Amino acid sequence: MPEVLFSIDQSRSFYDQAVPPHNRWHPDIPPVATVRPGTEFRLECREWFDGTVHNDDSANDIRDLDLSIVHPLSGPIAVEGAQPGDLLVVDILDIGPVPQETGPVAGQGWGYTGIFAKANGGGFLTEHFPDAYKAIWDFHGQIATSRHLPGVRFTGITHPGLIGTAPSHDLLGRWNAREAELIATDPDRVPPLALPPDPQGAILGMLEGDAFERAAREAARTQPPRENGGNQDIKNLTRGARIFLPVYVEGGKLSAGDLHFSQGDGEITFCGAIEMGGYLDLGVDLIKDGMQAYGVTTNPVFYPGNVEPRYSEFLTFVGISVDEDGRQRYLDSQVAYRRACLNAIEYLTKFGYSPEQAYLLLGAAPIEGRFSGVVDIPNSCATLYLPTAIFDFDIRPSGDGPQSADRGSCARSS
């Protein structure tokens, strides 16, 4: 096993770890370790809501989650010789739930998927699903099943939802300026257009005193993907993936977290993956001056992982850029993918699932989402590929009609 450079006691809050994680991006957060290029190491990770989601049949915990505390990232890890302008080469060697543990914290044999309430972050389809719901998933090796979604069984594509390098002070300032400008266009929007810096709930690793107070006021929230990688939620960043991350500060300062047992393309419920704590084994190397040499100056590039389920048959749903009110949108791929998701949800209700169950399923299962046409005015075309083999009944259309049955229910808030 690689050396553990960041350890987590899963019985304790991430506010009470021997070495604290960090839930904001800031260049002044000190590294917890420094490694040479070519080193392999392990990061232990806490699930993104610190154990406040429970293995039960109520979604009140999802409804009441405090977004100011996410995501607890393990790191930063500095790499010797890394300088601004380099590319940090990161190999995902292994990843999984908390090993050899069962218990009350996600990752200890189980995980969860949630639909966030519109008033607390919402999701891709929040206008259609404004309330909180939840599904609990049990892990059986690489397989996930859920009492809240009977009839479904699939192999997860386990991956870190969040991995990235530290921003420079200049880059951090640009993030905050452009996101503040966006928020100002509609400051009272629910859910908000972006999340500004917020000292409440901030954890900044080993920073203390005045340095902590100053950094907490300007540190960027970890919710979105940005130039440094961040919360990209790319399901194919699994075992065997190699990521080339831009370096903006000395040492690079690599951090990761927000582990997912499985996820569909888009993580459409916002808490759409199967969330868990666990471990992440990484290897690191450097390409000196790689950002300019390869033109990788604004976002990472990566090789997808080579260990993932191979489903051979999909039922594919199509969406076009005409919104739910029948209004024509010009080449709006966001609207087109939303319509593809809604079409899939409507289809699955014919087999006995509630719309909320179907929405949770599409967030967690290894669906594939694609922008299939973006040039034929006025309609973009998006497609959603749903593996047929994950169901224990036949979902393919036929002359016999859909096999509707009692599919139970997901957890809901009261």
Side-chain angles (χ1 to χ4, degrees):
M1 185 184 81
E3 181 183 1
V4 177
L5 294 187
F6 196 96
S7 62
I8 287 287
D9 181 346
Q10 298 290 347
S11 69
R12 301 166 67 181
S13 165
F14 54 66
Y15 289 91
D16 191 31
Q17 298 291 326
V19 177
H22 62 100
N23 61 1
R24 304 288 193 272
W25 290 115
H26 197 280
D28 294 346
I29 298 172
V32 298
T34 299
V35 300
R36 294 179 178 177
T39 302
E40 298 177 357
F41 56 88
R42 173 169 291 190
L43 303 178
E44 295 177 349
C45 302
R46 182 81 165 165
E47 66 94 4
W48 77 311
F49 266 109
D50 199 24
T52 56
V53 176
H54 310 297
N55 187 347
D56 60 22
D57 300 321
S58 169
N60 288 351
D61 46 11
I62 297 290
R63 179 196 64 195
D64 300 333
L65 287 172
D66 178 4
L67 281 173
S68 74
I69 70 173
V70 299
H71 304 79
L73 302 183
S74 298
I77 306 297
V79 179
E80 284 185 11
Q83 295 292 333
D86 296 343
L87 285 178
L88 184 62
V89 184
V90 181
D91 288 313
I92 298 181
L93 306 174
D94 199 6
I95 181 174
V98 181
Q100 305 300 317
E101 286 190 25
T102 58
V105 178
Q108 294 178 322
W110 64 279
Y112 64 90
T113 301
I115 297 173
F116 269 40
K118 180 179 179 180
N120 192 28
F124 189 51
L125 306 177
T126 195
E127 300 304 324
H128 298 269
F129 298 92
D131 301 317
Y133 293 85
K134 180 176 73 178
I136 299 297
W137 300 89
D138 294 311
F139 303 155
H140 316 276
Q142 295 181 322
I143 301 294
T145 62
S146 174
R147 65 182 182 269
H148 295 126
L149 283 163
V152 173
R153 177 185 178 90
F154 55 80
T155 302
I157 308 180
T158 310
H159 60 281
L162 204 158
I163 187 167
T165 51
S168 65
H169 284 278
D170 176 68
L171 183 58
L172 175 64
R174 282 187 275 141
W175 289 354
N176 287 339
R178 74 192 185 198
E179 290 170 24
E181 183 178 358
L182 176 64
I183 293 169
T185 64
D186 190 359
D188 299 320
R189 185 179 186 271
V190 177
L193 290 170
L195 297 172
D198 182 3
Q200 179 180 340
I203 313 173
L204 299 175
M206 301 299 288
L207 271 185
E208 297 178 340
D210 291 343
F212 175 94
E213 297 298 330
R214 181 176 61 255
R217 290 192 296 270
E218 60 188 19
R221 307 285 288 276
T222 56
Q223 273 82 346
R226 298 188 181 92
E227 289 88 337
N228 68 327
N231 196 26
Q232 299 173 111
D233 289 317
I234 300 171
K235 73 178 193 298
N236 302 97
L237 290 180
T238 186
R239 296 176 186 88
R242 172 170 285 186
I243 315 162
F244 302 85
L245 290 162
V247 172
Y248 298 103
V249 299
E250 183 177 354
K253 294 187 177 179
L254 173 70
S255 300
D258 187 28
L259 303 189
H260 298 161
F261 188 86
S262 180
Q263 182 201 297
D265 281 338
E267 199 189 10
I268 58 177
T269 75
F270 182 40
C271 186
I274 301 179
E275 306 287 348
M276 68 175 192
Y279 70 93
L280 178 63
D281 291 348
L282 302 174
V284 293
D285 210 335
L286 280 176
I287 298 177
K288 297 300 294 180
D289 301 315
M291 288 176 65
Q292 190 63 41
Y294 287 99
V296 183
T297 56
T298 56
N299 295 98
V301 296
F302 70 96
Y303 302 147
N306 54 15
V307 179
E308 61 184 46
R310 295 294 183 183
Y311 292 106
S312 60
E313 183 179 274
F314 300 84
L315 184 60
T316 303
F317 299 88
V318 175
I320 60 174
S321 52
V322 176
D323 70 19
E324 295 89 316
D325 296 322
R327 292 175 295 186
Q328 182 69 63
R329 301 297 183 93
Y330 178 75
L331 296 181
D332 191 329
S333 296
Q334 183 91 346
V335 169
Y337 192 53
R338 187 170 74 229
R339 296 305 302 274
C341 293
L342 289 169
N343 289 340
I345 290 169
E346 174 67 16
Y347 186 90
L348 290 172
T349 64
K350 303 305 180 183
F351 295 85
Y353 291 116
S354 70
E356 292 79 16
Q357 286 176 299
Y359 188 22
L360 288 163
L361 171 62
L362 297 181
I367 67 166
E368 296 183 11
R370 303 177 187 175
F371 291 156
S372 299
V374 294
V375 296
D376 295 313
I377 60 173
N379 279 330
S380 282
C381 177
T383 46
L384 183 154
Y385 289 65
L386 179 63
T388 58
I390 71 175
F391 299 92
D392 65 9
F393 55 92
D394 192 353
I395 67 165
R396 295 173 298 178
S398 73
D400 296 330
Q403 303 171 26
S404 184
D406 182 358
R407 308 291 178 190
S409 63
C410 56
R412 63 175 62 213
S413 57
S414 58

